[in-house]
mmCIF file of all heavy atoms in Angstrom:
data_model
loop_
_atom_site.group_PDB
_atom_site.id
_atom_site.type_symbol
_atom_site.label_atom_id
_atom_site.label_comp_id
_atom_site.label_asym_id
_atom_site.label_seq_id
_atom_site.Cartn_x
_atom_site.Cartn_y
_atom_site.Cartn_z
ATOM 1 N N HIS A 352 -16.461 -24.309 21.141
ATOM 2 C CA HIS A 352 -15.469 -25.185 20.497
ATOM 3 C C HIS A 352 -14.345 -25.458 21.497
ATOM 4 O O HIS A 352 -13.796 -24.528 22.099
ATOM 5 C CB HIS A 352 -14.913 -24.539 19.228
ATOM 6 C CG HIS A 352 -14.069 -25.468 18.410
ATOM 7 N ND1 HIS A 352 -12.782 -25.817 18.764
ATOM 8 C CD2 HIS A 352 -14.334 -26.148 17.260
ATOM 9 C CE1 HIS A 352 -12.289 -26.661 17.864
ATOM 10 N NE2 HIS A 352 -13.216 -26.871 16.942
ATOM 11 N N PRO A 353 -13.986 -26.730 21.685
ATOM 12 C CA PRO A 353 -13.050 -27.075 22.771
ATOM 13 C C PRO A 353 -11.650 -26.496 22.632
ATOM 14 O O PRO A 353 -10.933 -26.365 23.616
ATOM 15 C CB PRO A 353 -13.006 -28.616 22.717
ATOM 16 C CG PRO A 353 -13.501 -28.992 21.353
ATOM 17 C CD PRO A 353 -14.475 -27.924 20.961
ATOM 18 N N ASP A 354 -11.254 -26.113 21.423
ATOM 19 C CA ASP A 354 -9.883 -25.628 21.232
ATOM 20 C C ASP A 354 -9.743 -24.107 21.346
ATOM 21 O O ASP A 354 -8.636 -23.577 21.226
ATOM 22 C CB ASP A 354 -9.353 -26.069 19.857
ATOM 23 C CG ASP A 354 -9.247 -27.584 19.755
ATOM 24 O OD1 ASP A 354 -9.148 -28.233 20.819
ATOM 25 O OD2 ASP A 354 -9.295 -28.120 18.630
ATOM 26 N N LEU A 355 -10.848 -23.399 21.536
ATOM 27 C CA LEU A 355 -10.767 -21.935 21.602
ATOM 28 C C LEU A 355 -10.017 -21.478 22.852
ATOM 29 O O LEU A 355 -10.208 -22.023 23.938
ATOM 30 C CB LEU A 355 -12.165 -21.310 21.608
ATOM 31 C CG LEU A 355 -12.993 -21.410 20.330
ATOM 32 C CD1 LEU A 355 -14.333 -20.699 20.521
ATOM 33 C CD2 LEU A 355 -12.260 -20.814 19.131
ATOM 34 N N ALA A 356 -9.186 -20.457 22.680
ATOM 35 C CA ALA A 356 -8.451 -19.885 23.817
ATOM 36 C C ALA A 356 -9.408 -19.185 24.782
ATOM 37 O O ALA A 356 -9.221 -19.217 25.999
ATOM 38 C CB ALA A 356 -7.411 -18.897 23.313
ATOM 39 N N TYR A 357 -10.427 -18.530 24.224
ATOM 40 C CA TYR A 357 -11.420 -17.827 25.029
ATOM 41 C C TYR A 357 -12.798 -18.149 24.456
ATOM 42 O O TYR A 357 -12.932 -18.356 23.244
ATOM 43 C CB TYR A 357 -11.188 -16.304 24.967
ATOM 44 C CG TYR A 357 -9.799 -15.906 25.393
ATOM 45 C CD1 TYR A 357 -8.811 -15.630 24.443
ATOM 46 C CD2 TYR A 357 -9.446 -15.821 26.745
ATOM 47 C CE1 TYR A 357 -7.517 -15.279 24.825
ATOM 48 C CE2 TYR A 357 -8.166 -15.479 27.133
ATOM 49 C CZ TYR A 357 -7.205 -15.209 26.171
ATOM 50 O OH TYR A 357 -5.926 -14.875 26.563
ATOM 51 N N ALA A 358 -13.810 -18.160 25.309
ATOM 52 C CA ALA A 358 -15.168 -18.504 24.873
ATOM 53 C C ALA A 358 -15.803 -17.311 24.165
ATOM 54 O O ALA A 358 -16.726 -16.673 24.670
ATOM 55 C CB ALA A 358 -16.007 -18.947 26.069
ATOM 56 N N LEU A 359 -15.270 -16.997 22.982
ATOM 57 C CA LEU A 359 -15.722 -15.838 22.209
ATOM 58 C C LEU A 359 -16.141 -16.278 20.810
ATOM 59 O O LEU A 359 -15.831 -17.383 20.379
ATOM 60 C CB LEU A 359 -14.595 -14.798 22.126
ATOM 61 C CG LEU A 359 -14.222 -14.145 23.467
ATOM 62 C CD1 LEU A 359 -12.929 -13.357 23.350
ATOM 63 C CD2 LEU A 359 -15.370 -13.243 23.952
ATOM 64 N N ILE A 360 -16.817 -15.395 20.093
ATOM 65 C CA ILE A 360 -17.400 -15.740 18.798
ATOM 66 C C ILE A 360 -16.355 -15.565 17.694
ATOM 67 O O ILE A 360 -15.966 -14.434 17.382
ATOM 68 C CB ILE A 360 -18.620 -14.837 18.488
ATOM 69 C CG1 ILE A 360 -19.578 -14.783 19.670
ATOM 70 C CG2 ILE A 360 -19.337 -15.330 17.228
ATOM 71 C CD1 ILE A 360 -20.672 -13.716 19.545
ATOM 72 N N PRO A 361 -15.889 -16.655 17.086
ATOM 73 C CA PRO A 361 -14.963 -16.498 15.961
ATOM 74 C C PRO A 361 -15.726 -15.978 14.737
ATOM 75 O O PRO A 361 -16.929 -16.209 14.602
ATOM 76 C CB PRO A 361 -14.427 -17.907 15.719
ATOM 77 C CG PRO A 361 -15.372 -18.828 16.401
ATOM 78 C CD PRO A 361 -16.209 -18.061 17.365
ATOM 79 N N SER A 362 -15.040 -15.263 13.860
ATOM 80 C CA SER A 362 -15.711 -14.673 12.694
ATOM 81 C C SER A 362 -16.248 -15.734 11.732
ATOM 82 O O SER A 362 -17.245 -15.508 11.048
ATOM 83 C CB SER A 362 -14.773 -13.710 11.974
ATOM 84 O OG SER A 362 -13.499 -14.290 11.778
ATOM 85 N N THR A 363 -15.597 -16.880 11.696
ATOM 86 C CA THR A 363 -16.063 -18.039 10.921
ATOM 87 C C THR A 363 -15.938 -19.270 11.819
ATOM 88 O O THR A 363 -14.982 -19.383 12.589
ATOM 89 C CB THR A 363 -15.216 -18.214 9.639
ATOM 90 O OG1 THR A 363 -15.365 -17.038 8.826
ATOM 91 C CG2 THR A 363 -15.640 -19.423 8.824
#
Side-chain angles (χ1 to χ4, degrees):
H352 189 285
D354 296 337
L355 291 181
Y357 304 99
L359 293 168
I360 311 169
S362 47
T363 299

